[in-house]
Amino acid sequence: MALTITINGTPYAASLDDTPPARDFASLLPLDLVLRDYHGIEKVADLPRDIDTSGAPASYEPRAGDITVFAPWGNIAIFYKPFRASPGLVRLGAFDQMPEALGGAGDLTVRIERAR
């Protein structure tokens, strides 16, 4: 599924994987979120409800541009730097091209919606 993720007013293309967790995430769209920096590698925000991750791999090693959910906390995590494999991390999809706007400190206002 094609997405448009608007970061501070600029739209970026992304896609969701064809998996049960990604389809469950898609059922929440559109979403307006404030992403907060976490450990200088990712941006995170709480979701309105937990995503069903049953059947997903036990861990995932994220790359820059990956859109994930961290199942233990129920939050979305969008990585702007790669990280080690993490138990409970489930990939939902990725940006088509890594937006520079994701990197660095500070909060970002985002809208995630199906592409038109």
Side-chain angles (χ1 to χ4, degrees):
M1 172 186 301
L3 299 177
T4 299
I5 301 179
T6 304
I7 302 173
N8 290 340
T10 303
Y12 298 92
S15 328
L16 289 180
D17 298 338
D18 187 15
T19 63
R23 287 190 295 273
D24 191 32
F25 175 75
S27 73
L28 297 175
L29 301 178
L31 283 172
D32 292 302
L33 302 169
V34 175
L35 296 175
R36 291 179 169 69
D37 199 65
Y38 191 73
H39 289 299
I41 58 167
E42 63 188 292
K43 301 286 189 189
V44 300
D46 293 330
L47 293 171
R49 66 166 172 79
D50 289 343
I51 300 298
D52 182 2
T53 59
S54 55
S59 69
Y60 179 70
E61 185 174 342
R63 296 180 299 262
D66 279 347
I67 302 164
T68 66
V69 63
F70 185 59
W73 294 350
N75 65 310
I76 189 172
I78 300 176
F79 286 81
Y80 60 89
K81 291 183 182 175
F83 194 60
R84 64 176 155 64
S86 301
L89 192 64
V90 176
R91 180 184 150 106
L92 301 174
F95 281 90
D96 294 354
Q97 283 194 294
M98 177 63 194
E100 288 184 29
L102 278 178
D107 296 350
L108 298 174
T109 301
V110 301
R111 180 171 181 83
I112 305 172
E113 59 192 333
R114 295 173 194 255
R116 298 172 202 220

